[in-house]
Amino acid sequence: MAGLVRKSLDTPDEVRPFEGGKGKLELVELAGGQVGRATFEPGWKWSEHIKPLAGTDSCMAAHTGYFVSGRMRIVMDDGETMDFGPGDFMTVAPGHDGWVVGDEPCVVIDWQGYGDYAKG
């Protein structure tokens, strides 16, 4: 194993576009797993733009991430709701929907839940 490794989300190992042109996921592979940067465009909603790829009623990925820009509302299957924005860290359990709030793209760095996210 190398003592130093450099990867950049500006030159990702993989890019996964979202349905309807509503964003993309850029991934880098690291020894501990994948880290991703998702850009969710205004109007993006998990249940409309990822659900067809996931094939589940709600997002079943757990997320640990950081919001770089934009705003997102996440609603758990039990109805618990929280809004996130720039500078916020999040942990989200499986079983949720989410969507962009406002007219600014929402950019999120996630180091837990994007490995199988938006995989067709």
Side-chain angles (χ1 to χ4, degrees), residues 91-110:
T91 59
V92 180
H96 58 272
D97 194 0
W99 55 88
V100 172
V101 175
D103 57 3
E104 179 184 352
C106 183
V107 177
V108 180
I109 307 293
D110 187 315

Side-chain angles (χ1 to χ4, degrees), residues 4 25 28-29 38 48 52-54 64 70 78 105 108 111-112:
L4 294 171
L25 173 61
V28 293
E29 300 278 345
E48 294 175 19
L53 296 171
T64 301
D78 67 5
V108 180
W111 48 91
Q112 180 182 3

Side-chain angles (χ1 to χ4, degrees), residues 4-8 29-30:
L4 294 171
V5 174
R6 181 193 336 227
K7 294 279 187 151
S8 173
E29 300 278 345
L30 299 170

Side-chain angles (χ1 to χ4, degrees), residues 45-105:
K45 187 172 186 177
W46 185 92
S47 54
E48 294 175 19
H49 300 102
I50 304 297
K51 182 178 179 175
L53 296 171
T56 56
D57 288 336
S58 60
C59 181
M60 298 311 293
H63 299 284
T64 301
Y66 174 77
F67 284 77
V68 177
S69 62
R71 302 199 65 75
M72 183 178 287
R73 178 165 296 145
I74 297 176
V75 179
M76 302 301 296
D77 289 349
D78 67 5
E80 181 182 6
T81 302
M82 191 171 291
D83 287 358
F84 296 90
D88 289 343
F89 284 89
M90 69 163 173
T91 59
V92 180
H96 58 272
D97 194 0
W99 55 88
V100 172
V101 175
D103 57 3
E104 179 184 352

